[in-house]
Amino acid sequence: MRITGYRTLTTVQDWGRPIGDANGVVADGLVRVPIVVVETDEGITGVGLGPHTEIETLFAALEGEDPRCVTALYDRMLRWTFKAGHAGAVFGTIGALDTALWDIKAQAAGEPLWRLLGGRDRRVPAYASGLDIALTDDELVAAYRTYAGRGLRAAKIKGGLDVDRDRHRLALVRDVLTEAGGGARPGLMLDVNETWTRKQAVRYVSELERTFDLTWVEEPVRRWDVEGHAAVGRGVRASVATGENLTGLEQHRPLIAAGAVDVVQTAGGWGVTHFLRVAALAHAHDLPVSPIGTSPVGLLHAATSVPNHLVSELQDLRPAVGVTLDLHVEDGAYVLGDGPGLGLRLDETAIAASGHLLPHPSAGGTHIRPVDAGRRLHAAEPGTASDSTVSR
């Protein structure tokens, strides 16, 4: 079997409501979802969700190769980008191609990826994550009641701008999950998306911990700040979670080596091989791993095969337009199917028809850091920065 070509698509995730975090808000809830399809001479195609940046350069490292040599080809893509570096969106393209290769390998073996990777249990524990910073109280409660209806008993809210507001919103979500769980105490997490300084983080979380027993605080300071994460970890009771924006094993290593992270995260867009390597590094330090993403389907399969998976993020309960996943959510877990490969199928007609919904790549949202992040003197409303909010 040989790799013969690729094609790229872009569909849309339609949340049907505002989504956002401390950095910005997408008022109409429409988010671009780039897709890579890798073709072979035997008619098997693999699908990966992730960017297309520099894909021509990266595909040159794969063309004519046997797609089943996945980890060797992953390292080959890294070598082909080592001069300019593989961070950022380029790492996402490597991850998308890597995931597509794993999809092909499992399809060729006639097995779901989770079984090919050595998983025993198709159930992957999940927590609710509504990207909810812009929701009203009633909308927040309604969203988490929907998650609770699928058996989820842990939730992560977006915050970091106003401690009183976050305290109130955490209480609302806690009450929803407690009621659904028959009085059992739920897991509560707060994700602030790198919006604090070290001192802000300790003061803010310590104030919340007067009321709540937080499971973790996520990305409390800048992603690369090893000493900052360690300082936060020393100053609060909650675990420190980070890693979703670290693009490469070498970026995780200093955080783990310094004891600066308690829950090691990796994003669905960075690929299966990256996750497996990060999981092994974390396991060597007795740390758990937790996949992140809107549709981290590749990492869900991989999570079944590692000994230190803790829980995976569940965002929108609906897949992107034109995407069908062989999985469902029940009793607080993703349940993976028996279809070969990732179990991810594309309706390219529906994807093409959704083109008019695609936001422009330059549109604002959560990916633009506000000018005052990390240096606010008072509480801020979500989406107040002029360059971080978009309504189309």
Side-chain angles (χ1 to χ4, degrees), residues 111-128:
E111 293 187 331
L113 182 57
W114 63 267
R115 186 173 291 128
L116 179 77
L117 290 171
R120 179 172 175 268
D121 187 351
R122 70 183 68 219
R123 299 178 61 83
V124 182
Y127 68 88

Side-chain angles (χ1 to χ4, degrees), residues 17-26 130-136 139-140 144 156-162 165-166 169 190-193 195 204 366 380-383:
R17 62 168 174 83
I19 60 168
D21 60 30
N23 297 297
V25 171
V26 179
L131 309 189
D132 47 47
I133 201 166
L135 299 185
T136 66
E139 290 169 338
L140 185 72
Y144 283 92
K156 181 177 77 182
I157 74 164
K158 296 289 190 180
L161 300 179
D162 183 332
R165 184 168 184 266
D166 285 350
R169 296 171 74 248
L190 179 68
D191 186 0
V192 303
N193 297 98
T195 197
Y204 203 111
T366 61
E381 286 297 316

